[in-house]
Amino acid sequence: MAVLQKIRQRSALLIVVIGFCLFAFIAGDVFTKGSFGKSSNDVGSVNGKDIPFEDFRLKVSNVEKSQQGVTPTAAANRVWDQEVSIALLTSEFDKLGLRVGAKHIMEVLKSDQNIGKNPMFLNSAGFFDEAKFKEAIKTNPEIAQYVSGREKDAELNAKYQMYATMIKAGTFTTESEGKFKYEMEANKVSFAYVAGLYSTIKDSDVKVADDEIVAFMKKNEKKYKADENREIEYVLIEDKASPEDEAEIKAKINGLLSGSVVYNTQTGKNDTLSSFRSATNVMEYVNANSDIPYDSTYVAKKDLPAVDADKLYNLAPGEIYGPYMFGKYYCLSKSMGRKVGVNVKASHILISYEGTQVPNQKEKRTKEEAKAKAESLLAQVNASPDSFLMLAFTASDDSSSQQGGDLGYFGPNQMVKPFNDFVFSNPIGKVGLVETPFGFHIIKVTDKQDGIRLATVAQKVEASEATSDKVFTQATQFEMDAAEKDFAKSATAMKLTVSPPVTVKAMDEAFGPLGNQRNIVSWAFEDGTDVGAVKRFEVANLGNIIAKVKKINPEGLMAVDLVRSYVEPILKNKKKAELIKAKMTGTSLEAIAKATGSAVQQATDVTMENPVLTGGVGQEPKVVGNAFALTTGKLSAPIEGNTGVYVVKNTNTVKAPALKDHTAYVAKLKAQSAGDINRVLPALKDKAEIKDNRKQFNY
């Protein structure tokens, strides 16, 4: 049981497959709050292979249980991505006939820290003992059950390792490719050119119709494919404090400055409440009158409310500042005194040794060797204080070496005790040697910050019950009006603002700037929610959202409105190109420049690796490529580039010297293709027939 408990306290085995995780799932029962929305028993399918709802539900439930804070929808989306990926990869493994043996699976299991690093399975030297592991499986049924669940994932991971190795082995870079890479970088071309820039023609002079945008998308159908979605417009009526609510809270805070008389319902008499200024027990006073409990810590100036920091920090003991606004609170603060050195800034050089848990060790060394090196470095720093920065860069085993050892500011007990004791008990500029479980530290105290202790009465400014009632009445009235009349006109009549439409898909949680509003998305995709449907939603800490389904877009091409900002400029440039080409008449660059009202320009020593034209033009690979293809003195036909239409004349081409060996360039290409394995899964998804029925089920 002790072993199982340790296993449960750690994270589940993660199997990394092309940037996503393949999780092992244990049974659960929280996924669905109700029954099926429709008659289908499958949550979806991949290339005709169904994903049963019940299995899917159990896996989602496990994710919800194991990962704190994850929502049911987020868990469902995560599991769906995993299930699709696993189905596609498993199919590929089966086609290739991949098989893995027990030894391979054992190696994968050992990579799980819950198994490979578990003390119960380690020998006296601290290494994994396979015999002890197998004995534990035989004698402990719960461990056996845990391992059995992991073996399936381990087998999948092992197959993927083989699959990835095969793909990597099947891709290679030839000497010819290396030569081509070299020539792309080293061959240079110089040319004269005339540019008819698209920007010289007003956008208003060329029109693009919706059907032209649709035709363009059809030619690039996969790129512009869209899932079914809804466009929802909405009105937000915030449940926030009114000016009267704010004035009431401010008056209460001001009343604490002078004290007040209040009626005591228990005694039937008036009680005189002391003022904040005269209170004898400040902590009790704050806790009795504040929405935020008394905090006795000393605070550095940088951590005080920015607007009021100077005045708060400079308060004399017993002096009061306020009322002032901090976030959603009206505050009064009384100084309880200052303290020196509440925060410390320090730099260090860490010299670790074998056995310490430091991931950035620059060299292996024993504890004795580490101590000797640290003492040597301390002597160098004492002899030449300015050398600390460079020594930290070159010698420190801590990640702070990149900042010259600088750890920034920190408070008491944020560092291990020996380190903490040194920096807080020594003055600025002090350098010393301290040993901690991480190794030996050469420490330099570089700064200290004083702090102030404040007793703060803070009362939240929020809507009163009367204000909330008014908001509710207004929201319900607008909901009724909008359901029967024009949404925008109803909003205008009530002096409300209709926010821009938000486009959502069936499994979305985010709802534009309002964040996670899954209930609105779910409603929009319910049966019977048609275009024009209106519904009010109460959202805690926000108010009332009255939503209207403006448009339902079925699966297919993206809506024209959504792609117009991207596609329209492309099509306009095409039309501008034809207008510019018509002007490019003449047999010389000078004649063409005159006809287009532009000038002849020069490009010098441009390469295909970096086909940039100066003067703010930018990347023009087609133009540069055409220049390379021309013989010296030859004039090109008009070329449609990224920023305009160009006519070029080659003035000089310089071929790079021949190399016998292109190994360095082959290595560059290999490095660029190292991540090609990550393109496999997106390619499989692109070709697969994937059906997603998740929206049919209740969550």
Side-chain angles (χ1 to χ4, degrees):
M1 285 300 293
V3 178
L4 189 65
Q5 184 62 30
K6 289 179 181 177
I7 288 173
R8 285 173 173 166
Q9 286 173 352
R10 298 189 178 191
S11 59
L13 171 64
L14 298 179
I15 303 175
V16 178
V17 176
I18 317 177
F20 70 91
C21 296
L22 302 177
F23 289 90
F25 297 108
I26 304 171
D29 59 1
V30 183
F31 173 55
T32 179
K33 305 294 189 291
S35 58
F36 297 75
K38 292 187 179 179
S39 59
S40 173
N41 290 332
D42 299 316
V43 78
S45 64
V46 180
N47 288 330
K49 184 178 179 180
D50 294 331
I51 301 174
F53 170 74
E54 190 61 25
D55 290 346
F56 186 82
R57 179 185 70 84
L58 293 176
K59 292 176 181 179
V60 172
S61 174
N62 185 67
V63 172
E64 287 187 85
K65 291 176 180 177
S66 64
Q67 299 187 35
Q68 187 176 7
V70 68
T71 64
T73 305
N77 289 339
R78 190 175 304 172
V79 174
W80 173 256
D81 289 340
Q82 293 161 5
E83 290 296 291
V84 170
S85 300
I86 291 170
L88 291 171
L89 287 168
T90 301
S91 176
E92 294 300 299
F93 301 160
D94 292 343
K95 289 176 187 176
L96 293 169
L98 297 186
R99 300 290 184 270
V100 292
K103 288 186 177 180
H104 198 163
I105 292 175
M106 179 59 70
E107 288 302 312
V108 175
L109 287 173
K110 284 163 60 177
S111 68
D112 176 11
Q113 289 192 0
N114 300 326
I115 296 174
K117 298 295 184 183
N118 194 301
M120 296 298 293
F121 307 142
L122 303 181
N123 59 24
S124 58
F127 295 104
F128 180 79
D129 189 324
E130 191 171 323
K132 292 180 75 172
F133 175 61
K134 289 182 177 179
E135 182 63 26
I137 293 174
K138 288 180 182 178
T139 58
N140 192 318
E142 291 187 77
I143 295 176
Q145 182 180 0
Y146 174 85
V147 173
S148 177
R150 295 297 172 265
E151 283 179 339
K152 183 177 179 181
D153 298 321
E155 181 182 359
L156 183 62
N157 194 350
K159 286 182 178 179
Y160 177 71
Q161 291 174 3
M162 295 171 62
Y163 181 66
T165 301
M166 292 169 66
I167 290 176
K168 289 176 181 177
T171 57
F172 57 94
T173 305
T174 65
E175 173 72 11
S176 294
E177 289 174 300
K179 179 184 177 184
F180 183 70
K181 172 71 171 174
Y182 164 64
E183 291 174 348
M184 289 275 285
E185 292 185 15
N187 288 348
K188 297 177 180 178
V189 66
S190 298
F191 56 92
Y193 67 93
V194 172
L197 299 180
Y198 300 136
S199 58
T200 59
I201 299 177
K202 294 179 180 179
D203 281 351
S204 57
D205 291 343
V206 286
K207 304 295 182 183
V208 175
D210 287 359
D211 58 351
E212 292 178 287
I213 294 177
V214 172
F216 179 85
M217 287 194 290
K218 285 182 178 178
K219 291 179 181 178
N220 305 271
E221 204 160 343
K222 286 187 177 179
K223 185 176 180 180
Y224 296 100
K225 184 180 178 181
D227 295 328
E228 180 184 3
N229 61 68
R230 305 284 189 271
E231 294 177 37
I232 305 171
E233 56 185 349
Y234 67 94
V235 165
L236 170 62
I237 304 177
E238 292 185 79
D239 190 9
K240 61 182 181 180
S242 67
E244 292 78 15
D245 296 333
E246 188 172 337
E248 183 179 348
I249 298 297
K250 189 173 183 179
K252 286 173 66 177
I253 286 288
N254 277 318
L256 298 177
L257 286 170
S258 56
S260 58
V261 177
V262 296
Y263 179 73
N264 189 320
T265 56
Q266 293 181 339
T267 63
K269 298 179 180 179
N270 289 332
D271 291 340
T272 301
L273 300 181
S274 63
S275 69
F276 189 28
R277 188 172 282 107
S278 63
T280 54
N281 189 322
V282 175
M283 183 175 73
E284 285 186 3
Y285 189 92
V286 169
N287 289 337
N289 293 281
S290 177
D291 293 330
I292 299 176
Y294 176 76
D295 184 356
S296 63
T297 58
Y298 286 89
V299 181
K301 183 178 178 180
K302 69 180 182 64
D303 298 320
L304 294 170
V307 174
D308 302 283
D310 285 333
K311 293 178 180 177
L312 287 168
Y313 188 73
N314 293 314
L315 287 175
E319 188 179 359
I320 291 177
Y321 174 72
Y324 65 95
M325 199 75 183
F326 180 49
K328 293 185 177 181
Y329 293 85
Y330 262 118
C331 304
L332 279 179
S333 292
K334 176 190 280 190
S335 172
M336 304 300 290
R338 299 271 289 271
K339 184 178 180 180
V340 297
V342 296
N343 285 340
V344 173
K345 187 178 185 184
S347 296
H348 79 139
I349 302 169
L350 172 63
I351 306 301
S352 60
Y353 49 85
E354 290 187 33
T356 57
Q357 300 298 312
V358 177
N360 303 309
Q361 290 185 3
K362 289 185 167 65
E363 61 182 81
K364 289 185 178 180
R365 57 179 81 91
T366 64
K367 182 175 181 179
E368 292 72 23
E369 290 170 336
K371 183 178 181 182
K373 181 167 184 176
E375 289 173 342
S376 173
L377 290 171
L378 176 62
Q380 291 182 57
V381 172
N382 284 331
S384 177
D386 292 340
S387 66
F388 191 101
L389 183 70
M390 187 55 64
L391 290 173
F393 275 128
T394 57
S396 180
D397 289 329
D398 188 57
S399 58
S400 64
S401 63
Q402 299 301 312
Q403 291 78 46
D406 184 13
L407 296 170
Y409 287 98
F410 51 90
N413 303 317
Q414 288 183 244
M415 301 295 181
V416 290
K417 191 175 188 306
F419 198 108
N420 178 85
D421 291 349
F422 179 88
V423 296
F424 279 96
S425 61
N426 282 292
I428 297 171
K430 179 67 175 178
V431 178
L433 180 62
V434 170
E435 182 183 358
T436 77
F438 298 101
F440 295 94
H441 307 256
I442 299 93
I443 306 173
K444 181 178 182 180
V445 181
T446 56
D447 194 17
K448 291 194 174 186
Q449 292 178 329
D450 295 346
I452 187 169
R453 178 189 283 171
L454 295 172
T456 299
V457 175
Q459 294 192 3
K460 191 173 184 180
V461 179
E462 55 188 350
S464 63
E465 186 175 344
T467 298
S468 294
D469 288 345
K470 288 180 181 178
V471 169
F472 175 79
T473 301
Q474 184 184 27
T476 52
Q477 183 62 54
F478 175 69
E479 179 187 17
M480 291 187 291
D481 290 351
E484 299 175 358
K485 305 171 186 175
D486 181 86
F487 195 78
K489 289 182 179 178
S490 297
T492 301
M494 296 183 70
K495 298 181 180 179
L496 299 171
T497 301
V498 179
S499 297
V502 174
T503 301
V504 294
K505 293 183 288 188
M507 294 302 295
D508 284 348
E509 289 187 294
F511 186 75
L514 301 185
N516 188 338
Q517 302 296 338
R518 176 62 190 166
N519 53 344
I520 299 178
V521 178
S522 297
W523 162 75
F525 282 87
E526 288 177 359
D527 289 340
T529 302
D530 300 319
V531 173
V534 174
K535 187 173 181 179
R536 180 181 61 84
F537 299 86
E538 287 188 51
V539 180
N541 301 317
L542 187 60
N544 287 259
I545 300 170
I546 301 88
K548 174 191 174 185
V549 178
K550 184 179 182 182
K551 194 173 183 181
I552 295 177
N553 297 311
E555 181 180 358
L557 289 176
M558 295 175 69
V560 171
D561 290 345
L562 295 178
V563 300
R564 180 180 294 280
S565 61
Y566 173 74
V567 173
E568 190 173 56
I570 296 173
L571 297 179
K572 283 192 172 186
N573 284 347
K574 282 280 185 186
K575 294 188 175 187
K576 289 179 181 181
E578 295 305 316
L579 297 174
I580 293 169
K581 285 180 185 179
K583 295 180 181 179
M584 286 184 158
T585 57
T587 57
S588 68
L589 286 179
E590 290 72 20
I592 294 171
K594 184 177 180 180
T596 57
S598 54
V600 178
Q601 300 182 66
Q602 303 293 326
T604 305
D605 291 341
V606 186
T607 68
M608 280 305 301
E609 183 74 12
N610 187 31
V612 175
L613 300 185
T614 57
V617 174
Q619 293 264 355
E620 286 292 359
K622 286 175 67 175
V623 177
V624 176
N626 272 271
F628 268 111
L630 294 170
T631 56
T632 302
K634 182 76 173 180
L635 204 66
S636 75
I639 306 159
E640 290 185 33
N642 294 329
T643 56
V645 180
Y646 297 79
V647 175
V648 305
K649 182 172 75 171
N650 182 307
T651 56
N652 187 34
T653 301
V654 179
K655 296 286 186 178
L659 293 181
K660 291 182 179 180
D661 184 8
H662 300 94
T663 303
Y665 296 92
V666 170
K668 283 185 181 182
L669 291 173
K670 283 183 177 179
Q672 291 174 5
S673 62
D676 283 354
I677 182 66
N678 297 329
R679 297 163 56 188
V680 172
L681 191 58
L684 292 174
K685 287 182 178 179
D686 190 46
K687 296 292 184 182
E689 183 181 346
I690 300 171
K691 293 183 179 178
D692 184 355
N693 301 327
R694 284 176 293 163
K695 72 174 184 177
Q696 296 181 4
F697 300 92
N698 297 324
Y699 292 88

